[in-house]
Amino acid sequence: MKRSVFVLAALLALCSCGEKKESGEKSPTRVKTQVVSSGMVDNTQTYVGIIEEREATAVSFTGMGVVKRVLVNEGQAVSRGQLIAEMDDTQARNVLAGAEAQMTQANDALTRYGMLHDNGSLPEVQWVEVQSKVAQAKSQLEVAKKNLADCRLTAPVGGIIGTKAVKAGETALPSQAVVSILDISTVKVKVSVPEAEIGSISANTPTSIKVEATGGSYQGGCIEKGVEADALTHTYEIRINVANNGRKLLPGMVATVRFVSAGAQSDGGKMVPVTSVQKKADGSLFVWTVDKQKTAHRTPVTIGHTEGNYILVTDGLNKGDLIITEGYQKLSEGTKVAY
């Protein structure tokens, strides 16, 4: 009986040791990885932008008067020369009638005095005076016609009606905008970029733009860079030109902008995230790489210039290498990893 108890205790001890040995094995460290490649890489930094019209034109009457009717609404598409609004033209028509009467009178005088002038019975001074009155009457007639025509407001350009500032029955003042016409055949995405990052953006930097309101993604065009920073935020405004086929993009929509950096292929360089490059105590640089056995290793590298949140590695990495981008803080040489 005692011998059986002893054997059972020994077996339990052996099982216990086996469990401790198994539990003592470390589980792989969880990390995030990225395959090294050259070419185009998306900058991980995103920006929020606002869509603006390509150009806005304020349309107004040249004179003062009561607006009789406005023929367009906000958001309506208009073409060049289309009638937008009319002003009460009663006074302008009366002025035109008076100018036409003076023109008729002046022409009649010119005809009658012309015969006397041809016969040599009219002094030259009086003949010049008659001609001057004709010229004055003609000038006043042209002004009256122009004033009557100005009672009709037409679109100087084609586009979309933005705002309608004056309604029928209101008095319009000279140069007071009645409506604004927006050119949205192409639009601009305005983005504020920190001064530390503005240097990496050029006029031809590729951009990827997403607009939730339309559910679409767009490729940005030429970039216009501001040269004066905001005094409070130390940011520079840039505007990205975007083709607006179908006119789905409207001013005021919010856009998410990602800049795309070009990898340096000419010298065999590879672009990797800046945060993946580490420094040893002696100042040398390295990145954590993973081999086929899922083991982490320190790999020495030589770096070049930065582009956004990426840095050029000129030596030490090959295309297809697997580098660790997150979770490397807990690693040591030879650590098993999972990803």
Side-chain angles (χ1 to χ4, degrees):
M1 183 64 179
K2 291 183 178 179
R3 184 176 180 182
S4 298
V5 172
F6 176 79
V7 172
L8 180 60
L11 290 174
L12 291 174
L14 288 174
C15 292
S16 177
C17 291
E19 290 178 357
K20 288 182 178 179
K21 185 177 180 179
E22 291 179 0
S23 61
E25 294 180 358
K26 293 183 178 179
S27 59
T29 303
R30 179 68 59 177
V31 296
K32 287 188 177 182
T33 60
Q34 178 176 315
V35 177
V36 175
S37 64
S38 58
M40 305 304 291
V41 293
D42 279 341
N43 189 331
T44 56
Q45 181 65 42
T46 59
Y47 303 84
V48 176
I50 299 295
I51 294 177
E52 295 181 340
E53 66 279 356
R54 176 178 177 271
E55 190 173 24
T57 303
V59 185
S60 60
F61 289 104
T62 59
M64 184 177 69
V66 177
V67 177
K68 185 164 60 176
R69 57 176 181 164
V70 180
L71 303 174
V72 294
N73 296 310
E74 294 182 357
Q76 178 180 338
V78 296
S79 57
R80 183 176 180 179
Q82 181 175 335
L83 182 63
I84 293 176
E86 288 183 318
M87 183 185 292
D88 186 358
D89 59 0
T90 302
Q91 183 177 356
R93 289 186 179 279
N94 291 335
V95 172
L96 177 60
E100 289 174 340
Q102 290 181 0
M103 186 75 253
T104 301
Q105 183 180 8
N107 286 331
D108 180 67
L110 181 66
T111 301
R112 288 186 288 106
Y113 283 105
M115 292 184 294
L116 295 176
H117 178 265
D118 293 340
N119 294 332
S121 57
L122 183 69
E124 190 66 27
V125 174
Q126 192 172 356
W127 174 241
V128 171
E129 182 179 352
V130 171
Q131 290 180 315
S132 298
K133 288 183 178 180
V134 172
Q136 291 176 1
K138 184 177 181 180
S139 176
Q140 291 176 358
L141 178 61
E142 293 299 324
V143 171
K145 289 181 179 180
K146 178 66 167 55
N147 289 338
L148 179 60
D150 287 344
C151 291
R152 291 168 54 86
L153 187 63
T154 58
V157 294
I160 301 294
I161 299 297
T163 57
K164 186 168 68 172
V166 178
K167 299 178 181 179
E170 297 180 346
T171 300
L173 300 176
S175 300
Q176 176 189 6
V178 176
V179 297
S180 62
I181 300 178
L182 309 180
D183 180 359
I184 59 171
S185 55
T186 60
V187 295
K188 297 180 180 182
V189 180
K190 183 177 72 173
V191 181
S192 295
V193 178
E195 60 182 10
E197 302 169 16
I198 191 67
S200 63
I201 299 173
S202 68
N204 298 316
T205 299
T207 53
S208 175
I209 299 168
K210 186 175 182 180
V211 181
E212 293 293 342
T214 64
S217 297
Y218 306 85
Q219 192 70 31
C222 181
I223 296 177
E224 303 171 9
K225 294 174 62 174
V227 296
E228 187 174 354
D230 185 277
L232 296 178
T233 62
H234 296 283
T235 58
Y236 289 82
E237 286 188 354
I238 67 169
R239 286 174 169 81
I240 307 167
N241 289 276
V242 181
N244 191 17
N245 299 327
R247 295 183 175 181
K248 294 181 179 180
L249 299 176
L250 300 176
M253 287 183 176
V254 178
T256 302
V257 179
R258 295 172 65 91
F259 290 95
V260 180
S261 302
Q265 299 182 2
S266 59
D267 56 3
K270 307 297 183 292
M271 302 301 293
V272 301
V274 173
T275 54
S276 66
V277 179
Q278 307 296 309
K279 181 182 290 187
K280 293 183 180 180
D282 60 2
S284 61
L285 302 176
F286 70 94
V287 297
W288 287 103
T289 58
V290 181
D291 61 18
K292 294 181 179 180
Q293 287 72 40
K294 295 186 177 181
T295 303
H297 301 282
R298 292 185 180 91
T299 301
V301 294
T302 303
I303 63 171
H305 65 276
T306 58
E307 296 183 15
N309 291 333
Y310 282 77
I311 191 167
L312 175 68
V313 175
T314 58
D315 188 36
L317 293 177
N318 297 314
K319 185 177 180 181
D321 286 348
L322 193 63
I323 64 171
I324 297 174
T325 58
E326 293 184 26
Y328 47 76
Q329 295 84 351
K330 299 179 180 180
L331 298 179
S332 58
E333 183 66 26
T335 301
K336 292 291 184 179
V337 297
Y339 49 88

